[in-house]
Structure formats: C-alpha cells, structure tokens
Amino acid sequence: MVEFGVTQGSVAAVFPTVREVLALDPVRHGAPRVVAGDDGLDRPVRWVHIAEVPDIATLLGGGELVLTTGIGLPGDDAGLRAFIGDLADVGVSGLVVELGRRYVSGVPRVMVAAAERRGLPLVELRRATPFVPITEAVHALIVDAQLTELRATEEIHQRFNDLSVEGADAAEVIRQTAELSGCPVVLENLSRQVLGYDPAGESAELLLDGWEQHSRRIRPAGRTAYDPDSGWLVTTVGARGQDWGRLLLRWPASGDVPSARSVPPTADSPTRLTILIERAASTLALGRLIRRDAEGLERQIHRTLLTALLDHSRPVDEVGLRAKALGVVLDRRHLVGVMVRHRADDPAGEIGPEAGQARLRDLSEAVGQALREAKLTALTSAVDDNSVGVLLVLPDPAAEDRALSAFANALRRVRLDAGTGRTGPGAEPARAASGVDPARSESSRSESSRSESSRSLLGADPARAGFAVEAARAGVDGSRGAGPGAVIIAAGSGVGTLREARRSLVEARQIAEAARRDRRDLPIFRLPHVGLAGLLHLLRDEPRLQTFVERELGALLEYDARHPRERLLDTLRAYLEQGRNKSAAAAAAHLSRPAFYERLARIARILDVDLDSVEASLSLHVALLALEAVRTP
C-alpha cells in the first residue's frame, strides 16, 4: 500500500523544497549559507534553472530555483533591486549565487536587503560548485516525487473503486478520506447541515461549533476549489445535474501546518488532495443514486442516532453532537419518545416481504410529513420491521400535550389524503411514496367499490399491492380504529435530558406493543391507557415474571408443543377473553360447544386448576398477558 504523505496523516509534497535542496550533497559541497528569506525555505522547487542574464524573469514560470555566478547581473544598485523584484514577481522559489567569479566575499548588501524585503530565499555558495550535479540531483528528486504522486493517486482510485463496489455508506467514505489525507473532513447538505464528519484526531466540538455560519463563509470559486481564507478544500457532491451537498477537507494555513507537512498551502491545493476529494465525492454521489429508492442520507443518520439511543451503541454526548450538526438541538430541551406502528404485524406471509417493506416505508414517509405539517422538530426513522420511532424535541414540558395532539392530527390527515388520493398538504409525499400517478389516480377513481380505489393506488408497483388492499379493507381512514390497516401512536413520558431519552423511547415502544390488544379508538396511547398489559410489558425482562409464566402455563405450553394441532393455549385465551362465557368463547374459537367443553376439561387436567374459580382464571389471564409481553421482540 502506498502511504499518503511524509508521515501518517501528513500532506506529501510533489516537489522538494528549497530547504531539502540545500541538504543535497552537491549543494552542501558548495558550503551554502542563507543570507535572506529564511521564511521561504519551505517553498517547493518545481525546476532548477541556470541563468547569467539580468532579464531571465521573462523566461520563467514560477517555482524555479535559479542558479547563477552573477557574471551578467547589473552593476548598479537599482539594477540589482529590479533583478530581485522581477524574480519575486514571477514566483521563483529562490536564488543561489556562487561566490568567486563576480562576488568574492559575499553578495551585495542591496541584493540581500531587496530579497529580505520580498521574502525571496537568497543563498550564497561560498565554494566553487559545478551546477550540473545540482540540477541532476534536484531533477531526480522531482521525478521520484512525481512517481510517488502517481502511485498514491492510483491508490486513491483503487481505494474508492473498492468502496463503490462494496456499497460503503457515507460514514465509511468520509473516514477513508480523512485517513488518506490526515485532514478533517465534513459532508454537508445544501442547507449547510452536517451529514457526516471525521475530525482526523482533532476536536469534534471545535470542528462543528457554529458550523452553519462558518460554512456559509466558505465560498470557493468553481465546483472544486480551495478557499485560502478559510483553509478548506471544497467540492460539490451530486450527479445527473442534481447537487445535494458539499464535501469539505480542511487544509490549514501555513502557520497551522505541522512540521511534517513541508508544503504551505497556496491558492491551489496539491493535485493529490484534489483528486482525493473529488473521488470521494463521486463515491458518495454514486452511493446516493444506488440507495435513493430506500432512504435519504438524512433519514439514515436519523435512524443511526435513534438506534444508538435505543441500543447504547454510541455515547450519548456523541449522539447529541451529531444531532446538533444535523440541525436538531437536543441539549436543554424537553424530549418525548413516540412510536408509530400498524396494529397488525407485517403481513409478509400474505403479500410478500417487499410489500411489508413498502408498507413500513410509506408509514415512515407519512410520519415525516406529519412532523413537517405540525412544524415539529424531531429525529424520526423506522426502528424495526414494524415501528417508526420519533424523538420529539420541545422547548419545555408545557408544549408536550399540544405537540402530541398536533402530530396525531397531522398524521391522520396525511394518511387520509394518501388513502383517498386527494390533493392537498401531505397528500403528495405519501402518494409519491406509493408510486401513484396523480393524473391517473384522479381519472381512475371509482365510486363503485373500495377495491377499485385500491387498484388506483397501486400504480406500476405490484410489491405494494397487499398494503393497498389491506388499507382498503380497513377503510379509507387507516390512521385509527381497529382494522388491520390502522396505526397506533404511543408516547412515553417526557424527559428533560438526552441521557433519559432512551427510557422515553423504550416506554413508547412497550406501550405501542401493549396497545395492539386495546380496541379503543384513542389518538395517542400513554402508559395509563394500557393498564395491566402495559405494566407487564414494562416488566417483561424481569426473571420473576418469566418464572410466573412458566409456573402457570408451562405444562400447557409443553402439551401444545407435543400436539401442535390442538392449540389448547388458544382455547384458554378465548375462554378468558370472553369473560369465562363458554358459549361466547366457543363461538369465538369456531368450535361446537361440546368440543369446546371437552377442551376446557382437558386444560383443567393438564394445569391441575379449577377454571370456574375466579382467582385461578385471573391468575391464568395475567400469565397469558405476560407470555405475550415476553414473546414480543
């Protein structure tokens, strides 16, 4: 592998510097002494040029180290000042004068003063030195550096080709860019919100502090350019004429460059860094195109942050920092965890896994649109196969009830608009997520049947067919009610710090699971609404509760495992859910009363319990509810 720089994390020079040239053996043979322009010794030497005429500047292009014996230089002070001025104006790296032919004891003081004033390195060779060995040695360094540059460039292309083939996410592309350059890297969207970053060992807090204001001051000219005022190399990220962000790499001003970095920045960054940042941007754009049908990059970051809170996979402080960079400030805010899910699980067995994913994606889009309509700030994303999580960010606890009500009403409107095909706020995003052609939807809508309406929602995407049919069966308003297309909105307790946010999110998830058995038409479920079932969900990881379930139902569970067709547990559930009304329970279980009575007798023998006892039945009913809570993933 080709290392990227003089040391790990440093920026390698394509050309040797004046300082490095002076250290070469052919130059040291001449006993060099720097008499002016010490601060310019780190200038790159692009070429070595031998000159004995005063008007040589017109033949130079900048970056040359000029060697001369001084034989042809002007004899007057004004001429020498003009000679130094012309060299400085054209941008030469330095001037080396061999003493002994024109100047014996040293170069004229007027040359020293002029070179010092212009910051041009002026070097005396106090011993006669052939110039050819110097040019050969320097040019060999340049060719070697260019070969190293070519190899490093090849490494860049290979590295990012591999990332593209592997489908690496944005975080990995940013990490690789920072590793190869040794510089901090930031990816932002067009609103100057940070989508990802790697501080390259520096302070992330300092890097991102006041980012939006800082970023808006970085205005380089061109699609890829270096802004010398801010020290950032910037390139636009996008494809097919649709730009969606900027990738920035901080290459500091010369005063901030570590000693290992031998080249101070100029208006043009090194070719290698330009290639690096452009290849990284291309990889990001390609990855975005590949994943654009799944999730936007912002939504992926939302999901990463919510998952980190739920799973403790990242430090809380890092989650807060990344959320702030994305434009969602979580510090000193009132936070409320919310879960939105369908009452029925993903019906993958009926309509296929693709339709289940489409259903969840549609719900996620609806939740995002509802938050925008309600003008609420939140992190939101799908958090599992059935649920969309939301972390509401509110200014104070007094806003909690009002915000939850506004969100629930907005979500109901969005889903209503998506279900009926109406135009209006919230309808367009949901329709787009379902693959609906608005013109076709309006023209094909029929009053004859809901199934015809569901077909108009399908468009050309058969994977969504099951979801549309399911929504049609549930009724146009699928946001509430007990139909299979209905959704549950569950909210946890509000908390005052980010460290407590996980408790609110977990509570909301448990409430949503418990509320699936509640047939009430509530806009939002809170902990008091789910009663005993909610309490059991909160305690589902408690070993004593699991022991209770095994003690009460273990024998029946073992019997059902040996006789799977009988499903006596379902019989017991029907009996208890119907309030021990045997006739109603038999009808609910689709069994004749004699067959149902016989099954109840068998259950009583297996469990050694009197099913006519209120106390025994209550204990079994609690155990059944606890079993469902324990089994819920």
Side-chain angles (χ1 to χ4, degrees), residues 258-591:
S259 59
R261 298 181 182 175
S262 55
V263 184
T266 61
D268 296 318
S269 66
T271 303
R272 194 187 314 174
L273 286 182
T274 301
I275 293 173
L276 171 62
I277 196 171
E278 288 184 340
R279 285 294 284 116
S282 298
T283 303
L284 289 168
L286 178 60
R288 174 98 165 193
L289 288 175
I290 293 173
R291 294 187 298 269
R292 67 180 180 179
D293 189 47
E295 294 180 298
L297 190 54
E298 294 88 345
R299 191 64 58 222
Q300 291 180 43
I301 298 172
H302 279 230
R303 180 166 191 165
T304 297
L305 298 180
L306 282 177
T307 302
L309 288 174
L310 285 167
D311 300 343
H312 291 303
S313 57
R314 292 175 183 266
V316 172
D317 292 341
E318 181 182 343
V319 172
L321 180 64
R322 295 196 66 178
K324 182 179 179 181
L326 192 62
V328 182
V329 179
L330 301 177
D331 294 332
R332 292 191 288 276
R333 298 293 191 273
H334 185 70
L335 308 174
V336 183
V338 178
M339 289 288 165
V340 183
R341 62 156 297 147
H342 290 275
R343 279 191 184 272
D345 282 335
D346 178 7
E350 300 176 12
I351 61 176
E354 291 185 3
Q357 294 171 6
R359 182 176 83 150
L360 181 63
R361 188 160 58 244
D362 289 343
L363 181 60
S364 182
E365 290 291 337
V367 168
Q369 179 64 20
L371 289 168
R372 289 190 290 272
E373 284 196 14
K375 296 180 172 59
L376 295 172
T377 300
L379 294 176
T380 177
S381 172
V383 293
D384 54 41
D385 292 339
N386 298 295
S387 305
V388 177
V390 179
L391 184 62
L392 281 178
V393 183
L394 306 174
D396 53 64
E400 182 175 317
D401 291 339
R402 183 173 62 255
L404 288 172
S405 178
F407 169 66
N409 291 334
L411 181 60
R412 186 171 184 270
R413 286 194 303 270
V414 169
R415 286 176 55 79
L416 178 64
D417 289 342
T420 61
R422 295 185 323 177
T423 57
E428 183 175 345
R431 209 167 33 237
S434 301
V436 180
D437 181 344
R440 180 181 176 188
S441 178
E442 292 293 335
S443 64
S444 63
R445 189 175 301 118
S446 170
E447 298 293 335
S448 61
S449 68
R450 275 185 184 156
S451 62
E452 187 68 21
S453 176
S454 71
R455 282 197 296 273
S456 72
L457 285 170
L458 301 183
D461 188 354
R464 301 177 185 267
F467 173 50
V469 171
E470 180 190 52
R473 287 175 185 162
V476 171
D477 180 10
S479 62
R480 294 168 67 179
V487 299
I488 293 168
I489 304 175
S493 303
V495 297
T497 66
L498 182 57
R499 295 188 182 280
E500 299 176 286
R502 180 182 184 275
R503 174 167 60 83
S504 185
L505 287 166
V506 170
E507 185 177 301
R509 174 183 277 175
Q510 292 169 339
I511 293 170
E513 290 291 341
R516 293 170 57 202
R517 288 172 297 281
D518 194 314
R519 299 296 123 183
R520 288 176 295 175
D521 185 15
L522 298 179
I524 300 174
F525 282 88
R526 306 298 294 267
L527 192 57
H529 296 141
V530 294
L532 177 61
L535 175 63
L536 293 174
H537 269 272
L538 292 175
L539 298 175
R540 63 181 178 171
D541 294 327
E542 171 60 49
R544 286 174 291 185
L545 181 66
Q546 298 168 9
T547 301
F548 169 74
V549 171
E550 288 300 314
R551 185 176 66 245
E552 294 292 315
L553 299 174
L556 190 60
L557 292 171
E558 291 176 5
Y559 182 89
D560 274 357
R562 295 194 304 269
H563 308 85
R565 292 187 177 182
E566 296 189 28
R567 301 176 64 178
L568 292 184
L569 189 71
D570 290 343
T571 303
L572 177 62
R573 182 182 290 108
Y575 173 67
L576 297 174
E577 287 182 349
Q578 295 300 321
R580 296 189 301 125
N581 184 322
K582 295 179 182 179
S583 298
H590 306 290
L591 293 170

